[in-house]
Amino acid sequence: MLSKRAAAEFIGTFWLVFGGCGSAVLAAGFPQLGIGFLGVALAFGLTVLTMAFAIGHISGCHLNPAVSVGLLVAKRFSVWDFPAYVAAQVLGGVAGAGVLYVIATANRASNWGDSPPTVSPGTRPAATLWKPAWSPNWYSPSMFLMIILGSTDRRAPQGFAPIAIGLGLTLIHLIGIPVTNLSVNPARSTGPAVFVCGWAIRQLWLFWLAPIAGAALAGIVYPLIAGSDQPVREIHKKAGSKAHLLHHVGGSYSFPAGCNFENGLVTRFLST
C-alpha cells in the first residue's frame, strides 16, 4: 500500500536528518570530545544503513528525492509512486530538522546554523558550489546511485546492500564535507534550510539540482554497463524451457543478445 510505503519514507528521512545533522550540530564541535568530520560522515552512513535494514523491505528505503529520480530513470521505480515518496521525504526531513532545532536552540553548546563544515546542519556558502567540475555535490550523487543500483542488483550478493550503501554514503561525506558541507539529498538539505533561512534558502535550488542531475545520470549509465539485472541462471532456465517447448511444437524463437543455442543448452557469452 502506497500510504504505508510513504510513511516508511517519512520515518526513514526523519531519522537521516535527525541523526546525521544532529551529529553535526550537537556532537561535532563538542569541546575536547567532538566527533569531527569522521564522526559526522559515519553518522550519515549509519542512519541510512540502519533504516535500510529497518524499512528497506517496506518502501525500498530511498530517503532521498534524488535516489527516487535515479531509480525512476533506471526503471526500478514506478512513476505513480514518485510524488508520494518525494513529499514524504521532504516532510520527514523538515520534521527531523524541526525536532533538532528545538533541541539545539535549547542547548548553548550546539552549533545550529554555523557555517564551518563540521557543524553546519544545512548547506554552506562556498564559491566551489558554482564550479560544477570542482564540487562533490555534482558527481557524488552519481557514484552514490551507482552503489545503490549495483548493490541492489539481483546478481549481486544478497543481503549486503545496506552495508555497501551506508559505507558509500560515509565515504562520500568524508570527501565532500570539507568542501561544501556535502548533501547528496535534497530532502536533507531542505529540512535544515527551512530553519536556518537566509543564505541556506537562497542556495537551496542548487542542492536540489546537483543531486538530481547526478542521480539521473547514474540511472542512465548503470543499465548501459550492467545490462539486465536478471540472474544468468534464470536466463538459461527460461531460454532452455522455451527451446524445449519449440522442439515439440515447432516454431522459431529469438534468443536474448549474447546467448547461443547449442545442443539443447543456452550459453551466455560474456563480453570482455
Side-chain angles (χ1 to χ4, degrees), residues 62-189:
H62 297 189
L63 314 186
N64 184 338
V67 170
S68 296
V69 169
L71 294 175
L72 184 64
V73 172
K75 299 181 180 179
R76 297 267 199 99
F77 184 51
S78 169
V79 66
W80 304 110
D81 291 352
F82 180 75
Y85 267 56
V86 173
Q89 291 157 2
V90 172
L91 291 174
V94 172
V99 172
L100 180 58
Y101 177 77
V102 172
I103 296 172
T105 52
N107 182 356
R108 293 184 180 181
S110 73
N111 297 289
W112 182 271
D114 291 350
S115 59
T118 53
V119 296
S120 175
T123 54
R124 181 188 183 192
T128 51
L129 291 174
W130 308 97
K131 300 176 182 178
W134 295 0
S135 174
N137 289 69
W138 292 90
Y139 50 80
S140 293
S142 291
M143 296 309 302
F144 187 46
L145 255 293
M146 292 291 285
I147 294 169
I148 292 173
L149 291 169
S151 62
T152 57
D153 193 307
R154 290 198 295 168
R155 295 165 295 184
Q158 299 299 299
F160 297 99
I163 299 173
I165 294 168
L167 291 177
L169 189 61
T170 298
L171 177 58
I172 286 170
H173 277 80
L174 286 173
I175 298 168
I177 288 176
V179 182
T180 64
N181 274 355
L182 185 78
S183 173
V184 294
N185 185 337
R188 166 259 188 272
S189 298

Side-chain angles (χ1 to χ4, degrees), residues 4-18 51 54-55 58 63 88-89 91-93 96:
K4 292 183 178 180
R5 297 196 297 274
E9 288 294 302
F10 176 92
I11 293 170
T13 312
F14 173 95
W15 181 238
L16 185 150
V17 172
F18 182 74
M51 278 296 110
I55 65 170
I58 301 173
L63 314 186
Q89 291 157 2
L91 291 174

